[in-house]
Every structure is written in structure tokens, then in C-alpha cells.
Amino acid sequence: MRRTKEDAEKTRLKIIEAALTLFSRNGYSNTTLAMIGTEAGYSRGPIYWHFKNKDDLFQAVLAYSQEPLEQLVAQARNGELAPLATIERFVRRWFDLLVEDPWFRQSFEILLNKTELTDAMAATLKRERKLTRSMISTLQELLVAAKRDGSVPDAQPTEQLALMIYTQLMGVTQSWLFAPRLFNLSKQRGFFTERLLVALQQP
């Protein structure tokens, strides 16, 4: 029984991996379950065993590929580092994941460049907006704490700063995915992180 469950989970993850590859390459609309089955080496039967339909699989793909981001938000809330150091770790880790984790990178490729945000994507949009609010809220809480310990000037507006961090991270992400030859993110990630931290500490 245990062996069967392990095999079923391996099959599920293999389907998710194949779907992630194809969604990021072709887009949601241009990827069929038959294509995913071929990529994974299965018929459509195992896909329907694990997922109700393509929308259900799409949700699973994003949930799986964005686990590192959710873990990053959770880590930022644990308070093991000083607030500003936590923000720095959050920003650095975001860029590290983007450069080094292909599944994390593909999740953004799917959302930003390969998906039509139609009514059919309502569940996806709801999930992503919830995650966005969680990130911004976490950053704002850290900035409030950073103001209390004096590492961020008291005059700085925490809500706007939290939005600035998020929008700059997303801006770099989308720019790089759209035109990867525009700049070398692997080499420039330190620069982007440091400039963002400088902006937070300006009076």
C-alpha cells in the first residue's frame, strides 16, 4: 500500500513537471492534456486520475512551483534576524531563486508572459493576489520594526516602501524574463539588492 502511494505521488509530480515545462514554453491556452501526457510519458488516464481537468492541473503547477516563494514569506515572518537584515535576505533569496531554480522561474514565466488573464483564470488570479498581499503585508511589518530599531528613517512611509520593494522585484523579474539578454541577472542581482537597501535607508 505504501509503495502504491509513493508511486502515485511520483506520477503526480512527473505530470506537474511536464505541465510546468509546457505551460512556460507554450502558454496555458496552447498546451493540451494530450501534450502534457506525451511530455510526461503517460496517456491522459493518469492525468485524469490525479487532476479533474487542465484548470485543476494548472492550479497544482503554480502551487507546487511557488512553494519556495511561500516559504520565503514564512521565513521572513519568523523574526530570527533583525528587520532590515530579513528584508535583505528576502530580496537576495528572491533573485537567487529566479536565477537558480528553474521551476520558480517558470512559474513567473507562465503568469507574466504566457497566460491570458481571462475569466477562466479567476481562481488563479485570486490565489496570486492573496500571495501578493501577504508579501506586501510582511514587508510592511518588517519596515515598521526597522523604523522602531532605527535602521530605517522614521520619516519613511512604510506602506509605500513595501510597495516599492515588491514592484521593483516584479519589475526586474518581468524585464529579465521578457528580454533575458537585456542584462545578466546572475551578475546584477547583487547590485539590484544593494540599491534597494540604500533607497530604504535614505532620510
Side-chain angles (χ1 to χ4, degrees):
M1 185 70 173
R2 181 181 173 187
R3 174 78 178 167
T4 301
K5 287 182 179 179
E6 288 176 352
D7 288 346
E9 182 61 16
K10 287 180 182 178
T11 299
R12 180 178 177 274
L13 291 178
K14 194 170 181 180
I15 292 168
I16 288 174
E17 182 177 358
L20 181 59
T21 298
L22 292 179
F23 284 145
S24 66
R25 182 190 304 161
N26 306 324
Y28 174 83
S29 300
N30 294 323
T31 299
T32 66
L33 290 180
M35 292 165 64
I36 293 169
T38 299
E39 179 77 13
Y42 300 121
S43 67
R44 281 187 291 179
I47 297 178
Y48 282 118
W49 177 263
H50 291 280
F51 307 98
K52 293 183 290 186
N53 48 42
K54 190 169 78 166
D55 288 348
D56 188 39
L57 176 54
F58 186 73
Q59 289 293 318
V61 163
L62 291 180
Y64 187 76
S65 61
Q66 291 192 333
E67 278 182 8
L69 181 55
E70 293 174 348
Q71 291 168 4
L72 189 58
V73 174
Q75 186 183 45
R77 289 181 176 273
N78 67 19
E80 65 182 34
L81 296 176
L84 193 60
T86 301
I87 293 172
E88 179 179 358
R89 182 177 63 182
F90 184 96
V91 173
R92 289 190 186 280
R93 184 62 179 149
W94 175 296
F95 289 136
D96 289 346
L97 285 168
L98 200 57
V99 170
E100 299 165 10
D101 187 326
W103 288 6
F104 181 82
R105 181 168 61 252
Q106 286 172 327
S107 72
F108 280 103
E109 182 70 51
I110 292 168
L111 283 168
L112 298 176
N113 297 329
K114 297 294 178 68
T115 301
E116 296 178 16
L117 301 181
T118 63
D119 290 342
M121 293 291 105
T124 297
L125 290 173
K126 183 177 180 180
R127 179 185 179 281
E128 293 305 313
R129 285 167 179 158
K130 181 179 179 181
L131 182 55
T132 296
R133 287 193 296 270
S134 176
M135 281 188 281
I136 294 172
S137 174
T138 299
L139 290 168
Q140 185 172 0
E141 289 170 11
L142 288 167
L143 288 162
V144 169
K147 285 176 70 171
R148 282 200 300 266
D149 71 16
S151 54
V152 169
D154 191 57
Q156 290 277 40
T158 54
E159 183 177 1
Q160 289 91 326
L161 286 179
L163 285 168
M164 181 192 74
I165 296 170
Y166 173 75
T167 55
Q168 289 202 12
L169 288 173
M170 288 298 292
V172 171
T173 299
Q174 185 163 24
S175 297
W176 183 60
L177 291 175
F178 181 72
R181 294 184 180 180
L182 186 63
F183 58 94
N184 187 327
L185 183 57
S186 180
K187 293 181 178 179
Q188 297 295 328
R189 53 184 154 172
F191 169 80
F192 290 128
T193 301
E194 289 156 14
R195 296 310 301 170
L196 190 52
L197 290 171
V198 168
L200 296 180
Q201 297 173 79
Q202 289 179 348

